[in-house]
Amino acid sequence: MKLIIDTDPGIDDAMAIAYAAAAPEIDLIGLTTVFGNTHVHQSSRNARFLLDKLGLAAPVAEGASYALGQSHHTPSEHVHGPEGFGDITEIPEIGTNHDLSAAEFLVETARRHKGEVVVCAVGPLTNIALAMQLDPEFSRNISRLVVMGGAVYCPGNVNHHAEANIYHDARAADIVFATPPETVLVGLDVTLKTLYETADFEALAERSRDMGGFLRDISRFYLKFYKEVGGLEGCGLHDSTAVIACTHEPMFDMVETGLSVVTEGPEFGATRPDPSRPSVRVCRNVDGAGVVHLFTERVASLP
Ligand code: RIB
Ligand code: CA
């Protein structure tokens, strides 16, 4: 499977990119970057750093700095740290970004490999909305869109209503869901059932000294947030669960519904079932232990 991950790395994004590199079914043909956990230039630097560490030559195409119609963004430093990798703040600039913007790269690559490319969006959906606006054929040219985002039948993580990726660009998400490509939504409804704990990171680092050790090191900040703010003994494998949904759909129970996103007022960023809109497949349950095991076994195979 040809896969492009649209990402705001970000600690769980880094875990998902490592998983994609280790998964034998996945040909990671590019990363497109977006603001979110980080400023977009940090997302791009972190993406290039990860690909270099993983020994992958895939391009990194930089995307949106801000939500549609906005000219400012405050990264989630309290969750992912000042540079997006928790306590690790010295991250070198390795290589350069692709000449195309994220939206242009998504459109061009989908056009070149019609029907073959799965796009897994694990940050705000700004680049996806821009690609749809840039090329009306984009949605038909990709195989499908898998989105880490939303909290359809459960509370959000930004507030009771909203999940972070949708909240960071509610307008872009609503544009995407208004005329969606074939889409699978992997929201908090399932990603909070795939918690990864300190012991899991330590065991992973024993088996994968370099990459597993790096993920263990950057996760400490993230685990501390989940414990102190979320009262949880582990962190959600949010983005890795979405990447796993690209290749292991039988591990998920899905329902079909249209979706709309609240774009103003006190419930801003909420993702709501909307029967008036084209259906997407929303994950309602998951084999959480199976996802955690699959993630561990694959990433443990890395150096
Ligand atoms: O709500 C979780 C999502 O927001 C994940 O993609 C995480 O990386 C943050 O971007
Ligand atoms: Ca993310």
Side-chain angles (χ1 to χ4, degrees):
M1 165 189 293
K2 288 182 171 58
L3 180 69
I4 296 174
I5 302 178
D6 188 69
T7 179
D8 58 338
I11 292 161
D12 65 314
D13 302 67
M15 298 170 75
I17 293 164
Y19 174 84
E25 313 91 343
I26 291 175
D27 176 11
L28 186 61
I29 60 172
L31 297 179
T32 51
T33 58
V34 64
F35 73 95
N37 294 327
T38 46
H39 288 296
V40 70
H41 68 85
Q42 295 170 314
S43 297
S44 303
R45 176 203 62 197
N46 293 353
R48 283 183 270 111
F49 171 82
L50 288 165
L51 291 175
D52 178 69
K53 195 169 182 67
L54 290 160
L56 294 180
V60 172
E62 184 162 288
S65 303
Y66 311 118
L68 295 181
Q70 301 300 314
S71 56
H72 176 75
H73 173 63
T74 304
S76 314
E77 281 194 23
H78 60 300
V79 184
H80 293 265
E83 295 296 335
F85 282 163
D87 301 314
I88 312 297
T89 54
E90 297 301 315
I91 302 140
E93 288 277 359
I94 297 174
T96 55
N97 296 332
H98 193 278
D99 292 342
L100 294 181
S101 71
E104 291 165 341
F105 181 82
L106 286 162
V107 163
E108 286 301 305
T109 309
R111 192 179 286 155
R112 189 168 352 111
H113 302 287
K114 276 189 176 51
E116 294 181 49
V117 179
V118 174
V119 176
C120 187
V122 298
L125 292 176
T126 317
N127 292 335
I128 308 305
L130 291 171
M132 290 169 69
Q133 292 170 346
L134 182 63
D135 179 4
E137 293 300 310
F138 172 70
S139 290
R140 277 183 290 280
N141 285 342
I142 62 173
S143 165
R144 67 187 173 287
L145 172 67
V146 180
V147 173
M148 191 282 131
V152 183
Y153 305 101
C154 73
N157 56 2
V158 172
N159 56 43
H160 181 73
H161 308 290
E163 177 280 327
N165 286 338
I166 304 299
Y167 183 82
H168 277 145
D169 197 341
R171 238 179 93 196
D174 197 51
I175 287 169
V176 172
F177 296 141
T179 56
E182 185 188 335
T183 296
V184 175
L185 187 82
V186 184
L188 298 181
D189 308 88
V190 293
T191 66
L192 286 175
K193 296 176 180 172
T194 60
L195 294 185
Y196 214 67
E197 302 186 5
T198 300
D200 297 315
F201 281 105
E202 292 300 338
L204 182 65
E206 279 302 306
R207 297 171 65 186
S208 166
R209 294 281 182 179
D210 184 26
M211 196 65 212
F214 174 75
L215 295 178
R216 183 262 327 271
D217 293 346
I218 67 173
S219 70
R220 290 196 178 100
F221 189 97
Y222 197 47
L223 287 163
K224 187 165 175 286
F225 171 80
Y226 268 83
K227 185 164 178 63
E228 290 177 357
V229 176
L232 294 172
E233 284 304 323
C235 59
L237 280 180
H238 302 294
D239 296 346
S240 298
T241 303
V243 173
I244 289 170
C246 296
T247 56
H248 287 74
E249 286 195 6
M251 299 181 85
F252 297 80
D253 297 329
M254 302 181 188
V255 295
E256 295 216 10
T257 177
L259 292 173
S260 56
V261 179
V262 176
T263 56
E264 57 189 2
E267 297 191 2
F268 178 92
T271 311
R272 295 272 184 266
D274 181 346
S276 74
R277 286 195 159 179
S279 283
V280 301
R281 290 184 289 154
V282 174
C283 295
R284 282 224 63 181
N285 207 344
V286 64
D287 170 8
V291 165
V292 167
H293 179 74
L294 185 65
F295 171 84
T296 298
E297 290 310 302
R298 263 112 186 252
V299 177
S301 71
L302 295 170

